[in-house]
Amino acid sequence: MSPARGLILGIESSCDDTAAAVVDEGGTVLSSVIATQTAIHAEWGGVYPEFASRAHVASIIPTIAKALADAGTDGPSLRAIGVTRGPGLIGPLLVGLNTAAGLGMGWGVPVIGINHLRGHLRSADLEQQRVRFPAIILLVSGGHTFLARMESPGDITLLGSTRDDSVGEAYDKVGRMLGLGYPGGPAVDRLAKTGTPNIPFPRPLLGEGLEFSFSGLKSAVSRYMDRTPPPADVAASFVEACMAVLLTKCRRALQAWPSRALVIVGGVSASPQLRAGAQALCDELGVELCLPPLRWSTDNAAMIALATWDYLRLDRPPGTAPQLNLSIGDY
Ligand code: KG4
Ligand code: ZN
């Protein structure tokens, strides 16, 4: 057993990636292994839950073993195991939770259930300690789209979330309409750069409040496809509509609650258009923009491991029961 016991193993299996990583308290990533299931789900144009569960079962032990070996440590030496307990797909979550529970018992190491959304939030501090408070958080992923205000890691208030689809879901569906495969986000962004944003797609709820809605935009793109427009112009116009909505809401939140930082996390934070637009907004408002390094924008276990350190300060950290309905303020 190592004398330091200063490392956490993170395990993430909430959706279509089996991931394990070893991270220290400062956010240094000693190892990160991701077994992606993209090829399995590509045929269906989205995640097929039962196939996801089976792929997690097959890859979770080798993924964890490689993460430990790459970090040069072993199970019994760990300070704790942090494993995603929700939100996510129930079958995939149970694979991660049950595996972690068994390993923790065998190794004599505590196992803590982690809120996936808090993982994304901490991704901005991986390999860098940058998030300053108070901060406005924009979380944009395949499962979620919301704005929150953060006074400290323990004090988070939800300001507004989507009433229907997430922005990542809209990207994935538009990607499918354009025949770009799954996931749609990166491919839509690339195609958008080659087109002209000349189609007036709607910008839902642009003029009011901090809530979002993306299903009407998605349907508008679907209807417009009947006119067989140039795909690159569709992508460019769709991305421009998304950016107008996301950045207008960020501006509104920053103006209502003056903050030191704007933190943008979740898979869609990999978008170069969003990164550039957010940088321009933050420069104008004199706010620091905190983005995760690109490789930590999409689902990974390093963010889960880093979030686990916050949970060690709780009197009674959550255990390994799945919890599908967690909000950003929950542990
Ligand atoms: O955070 P994430 O990996 O998983 C969830 O927790 O949902 O986010 C996945 C989402 C997908 O919808 C994917 O299309 C989107 O993030 N995404 C992107 C980009 N990379 C991934 N969206 C826009 N631009 C990207 N470069
Ligand atoms: Zn995620």
Side-chain angles (χ1 to χ4, degrees), residues 116 120 141 299 303:
H116 181 83
H120 274 301
S141 71
D299 284 351
M303 67 186 196

Side-chain angles (χ1 to χ4, degrees), residues 90-158:
I90 185 68
L93 285 169
L94 283 170
V95 175
L97 288 163
N98 290 335
T99 304
L103 292 175
M105 200 178 290
W107 292 337
V109 169
V111 182
I112 302 173
I114 305 297
N115 178 348
H116 181 83
L117 303 174
R118 281 192 175 262
H120 274 301
L121 187 53
R122 293 296 263 130
S123 67
D125 278 328
L126 282 166
E127 295 172 14
Q128 53 189 357
Q129 287 271 320
R130 18 187 345 206
V131 175
R132 309 219 185 292
F133 307 114
I136 294 291
I137 305 157
L138 174 68
L139 192 150
V140 275
S141 71
H144 294 84
T145 297
F146 62 76
L147 276 161
R149 164 135 173 102
M150 181 165 61
E151 300 290 341
S152 70
D155 183 359
I156 303 178
T157 312
L158 189 63

